[in-house]
């Protein structure tokens, strides 16, 4: 009988510990990335892209939208303001309204270079094509190595290309990689 009570206590303790670490604190849940204005499908708040890189990336994202109908935005941020990168990215994508409302088919690639965090957020309408494991693999095996090797612009370019490839789309590059 004592071991049964102890077992239940341990299970409840582990459950409480799991829940306390998986739910963001109330301040993080309430906060939203309100200081980042949507100015186009490339928003470089962290100022890591040159004007030419921004222009090339904008052209590629526009090309993708014209061919697939899906909206794809890229944002670099100075700070996540202490928030979890997934929560921050999801809130920003929702606030900006990336993707068609009825289809929920937006894609947002967020890079926070100062905090060394990145995230690909995908609307529910594209989750079968861009699954969480696939997005994690693109981050781990494409974006992050390219950032480490050649910088943020190269990582973004590689990630955009890997996502385009999932849709059978591969726009011709003009000049150096964005």
């Amino acid at each position: 009988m004592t071991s049964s009570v102890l077992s239940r206590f341990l299970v409840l303790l582990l459950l409480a510990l799991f829940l306390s670490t998986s739910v963001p604190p109330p301040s993080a849940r309430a906060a939203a990335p309100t200081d980042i204005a949507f100015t186009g499908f490339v928003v470089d708040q962290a100022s890591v892209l040159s004007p030419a890189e921004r222009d090339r990336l904008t052209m590629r994202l526009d090309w993708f939208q014209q061919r697939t109908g899906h909206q794809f935005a890229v944002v670099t941020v100075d700070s996540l303001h202490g928030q979890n990168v997934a929560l921050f990215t999801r809130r920003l994508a929702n606030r900006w309204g990336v993707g068609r409302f009825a289809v929920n088919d937006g894609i947002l690639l967020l890079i926070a270079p100062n905090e060394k965090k990145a995230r690909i957020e995908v609307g529910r309408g594209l989750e079968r094509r861009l699954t969480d494991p696939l997005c994690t693999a693109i981050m781990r095996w494409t974006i992050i190595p390219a950032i480490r090797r050649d910088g943020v612009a190269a990582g973004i370019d590689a990630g955009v290309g890997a996502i385009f490839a999932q849709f059978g789309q591969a726009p011709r590059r003009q000049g150096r990689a964005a």
Side-chain angles (χ1 to χ4, degrees):
M1 187 75 124
T2 306
S3 67
S4 174
V5 171
L6 183 60
S7 296
R8 288 182 187 159
F9 174 76
L10 286 174
V11 167
L12 289 173
L13 181 64
L14 288 173
L15 181 62
L17 180 62
F18 172 77
L19 290 174
S20 70
T21 59
S22 65
V23 176
S27 62
R29 279 185 267 136
T34 58
D35 61 334
I36 304 170
F38 180 78
T39 56
F41 288 108
V42 179
V43 177
D44 185 24
Q45 185 197 43
S47 300
V48 294
L49 301 173
S50 72
E53 289 166 336
R54 275 194 310 274
D55 291 346
R56 279 192 297 270
L57 184 54
T58 298
M59 287 188 328
R60 291 181 74 199
L61 297 174
D62 183 56
W63 179 92
F64 178 76
Q65 183 178 356
Q66 288 176 17
R67 277 156 185 76
T68 66
H70 309 306
Q71 292 181 342
F72 185 170
V74 174
V75 60
T76 67
V77 296
D78 285 331
S79 174
L80 297 171
H81 306 288
Q83 292 184 54
N84 171 284
V85 67
L87 176 65
F88 188 94
T89 308
R90 186 175 320 114
R91 286 179 181 243
L92 186 59
N94 289 336
R95 185 173 156 274
W96 282 358
V98 178
R100 294 172 289 184
F101 180 77
V103 183
N104 195 3
D105 63 343
I107 305 165
L108 180 62
L109 170 59
L110 178 134
I111 307 286
N114 297 329
E115 294 157 328
K116 297 183 178 166
K117 302 278 183 181
R119 172 84 178 168
I120 300 169
E121 187 66 31
V122 178
R124 290 200 186 276
L126 292 179
E127 284 181 338
R128 287 186 178 194
R129 183 166 254 165
L130 288 174
T131 63
D132 283 342
L134 175 61
C135 289
T136 299
I138 290 171
M139 296 294 303
R140 180 174 292 148
W141 303 112
T142 304
I143 295 173
I144 293 169
I147 288 173
R148 287 182 180 153
R149 187 178 52 250
D150 299 317
V152 175
I156 291 170
D157 183 58
V160 167
I163 291 169
F164 283 3
Q166 299 306 310
F167 294 88
Q169 305 294 316
R172 291 189 323 256
R173 291 187 185 154
Q174 297 175 353
R176 204 170 151 255

